[in-house]
Amino acid sequence: MRIGLYPGTFDPVTLGHLDIIRRACSLVDKLVIGVAINRDKGPLFSLEERVAMIEAECTALSEQTGCEIIAHPFENLLIHCAKDVGASLIIRGLRAVADFEYEYQMVGMNRQLDDSVETVFLMAEAQHQAIASKLVKEIARLDGDVSKFVSPAVKAALENRLKK
């Protein structure tokens, strides 16, 4: 069984993330969505909320693709998380050249830590290249329409959270 790991904070999960997840499913039998516990980023949604959003958003994708998709919180090194879940492949989404520079460094470091785990980059589809969770949150905070960037359920979660 080929297991892939797609890590991120997913705060919140966007249509760009879902596009990468859908396409990653064609590469693996099981896709683990590694939900990073990154206290430094100060997420809008709790870890439990982010995991629940991913699970809800990925149920239909799993059925459509035949790929098992699970959400897995992690706080350790990415390469250790990959080993913990049995992944031989790390999947990373790229939106722009700036993403590549950072990701290139990460691949080099991860290969030094464990060269048995490969990293695959998937370019975001053109309509999703500008989507970033940080920007989606900012648009939502300023009462903008985020429906082009997130699912209706995630849009509702953003609206509810920002009303509080």
Side-chain angles (χ1 to χ4, degrees):
M1 175 180 271
R2 187 166 194 106
I3 301 172
L5 172 63
Y6 177 40
T9 52
F10 305 102
D11 185 43
V13 63
T14 68
L15 296 180
H17 292 130
L18 295 174
D19 174 56
I20 297 295
I21 291 167
R22 178 186 53 78
R23 293 169 45 222
C25 283
S26 68
L27 303 174
V28 297
D29 303 301
K30 178 179 179 180
L31 183 62
V32 177
I33 311 300
V35 184
I37 303 168
N38 191 335
R39 298 177 206 295
D40 296 334
K41 283 192 173 182
L44 178 64
F45 293 100
S46 71
L47 175 65
E48 294 76 17
E49 290 169 321
R50 291 181 285 139
V51 166
M53 274 189 241
I54 287 168
E55 290 173 343
E57 296 295 323
C58 290
T59 299
L61 272 176
S62 184
E63 292 170 6
Q64 291 167 4
T65 63
C67 177
E68 180 184 359
I69 303 171
I70 63 164
H72 175 78
F74 77 102
E75 192 170 23
N76 55 346
L77 285 174
L78 177 59
I79 204 72
H80 292 164
C81 179
K83 282 297 178 194
D84 291 346
V85 300
S88 59
L89 198 64
I90 294 172
I91 293 144
R92 299 296 290 164
L94 295 176
R95 293 175 306 222
V97 174
D99 288 346
F100 181 78
E101 291 178 30
Y102 171 77
E103 295 296 342
Y104 183 79
Q105 286 183 305
M106 290 299 296
V107 169
M109 296 300 282
N110 285 336
R111 297 285 297 165
Q112 292 292 320
L113 293 169
D114 186 342
D115 65 359
S116 71
V117 179
E118 282 294 340
T119 299
V120 173
F121 296 110
L122 296 176
M123 294 298 299
E125 292 288 351
Q127 69 267 29
H128 302 305
Q129 285 181 357
I131 301 174
S133 294
K134 180 180 178 179
L135 297 176
V136 169
K137 289 184 286 191
E138 186 67 15
I139 291 166
R141 269 191 198 100
L142 297 172
D143 202 28
D145 181 11
V146 296
S147 60
K148 292 181 182 178
F149 313 119
V150 296
S151 71
V154 172
K155 179 183 177 195
L158 276 165
E159 289 170 350
N160 288 337
R161 174 56 42 88
L162 294 171
K163 284 180 186 175
K164 293 180 181 178

